[in-house]
Amino acid sequence: MADQRFIIEMGMGNDLHGENYTKAAMRAVENARQRSSLHLLGVPGVQRGALRIVVTIGVQAPEQVDRDAIAGLFGDANVTVLVKKGGLNSRHPGTGQSIVMAAAAVEAFLPAQP
């Protein structure tokens, strides 16, 4: 039986001065998590160990995101981190420095429940 998605939250994060894609991505994930609540995991019969989390990050330089750092935000949970081209950079015309903006989708899946 296929897993069922029971939560999806989106978030946005940025790094204003360091051009750090991982920092922006971590802030986007935290932004999404702040609006999520996993009360379902306390329901009898729902096994916490069966929880699967998929995090999708969009930034302009996907190769610069530390996937392990993103997964580490969820402790020992079963996490898959996907990083794709997306997000937005806004370059300051005077300094040439970019503000890095990241978008994140955090999805939680459990096996289909009877």
Side-chain angles (χ1 to χ4, degrees), residues 52-97:
R52 185 171 58 87
I53 299 170
V54 177
V55 178
T56 305
I57 304 288
V59 292
Q60 286 292 296
E63 69 283 353
Q64 292 188 38
V65 174
D66 181 346
R67 288 169 172 78
D68 292 334
I70 302 299
L73 293 172
F74 295 91
D76 62 351
N78 177 11
V79 181
T80 301
V81 178
L82 308 170
V83 185
K84 301 178 178 195
K85 184 143 175 108
L88 179 69
N89 287 0
S90 179
R91 189 162 301 280
H92 187 284
T95 66
Q97 189 177 32

Side-chain angles (χ1 to χ4, degrees), residues 19-53:
E19 297 184 26
N20 186 317
Y21 290 89
T22 298
K23 185 186 289 187
M26 290 176 78
R27 288 177 174 167
V29 170
E30 285 300 325
N31 181 247
R33 286 181 48 177
Q34 288 170 358
R35 292 189 306 276
S36 300
S37 181
L38 301 177
H39 291 272
L40 182 65
L41 295 178
V43 173
V46 175
Q47 295 186 3
R48 187 177 190 89
L51 176 67
R52 185 171 58 87
I53 299 170

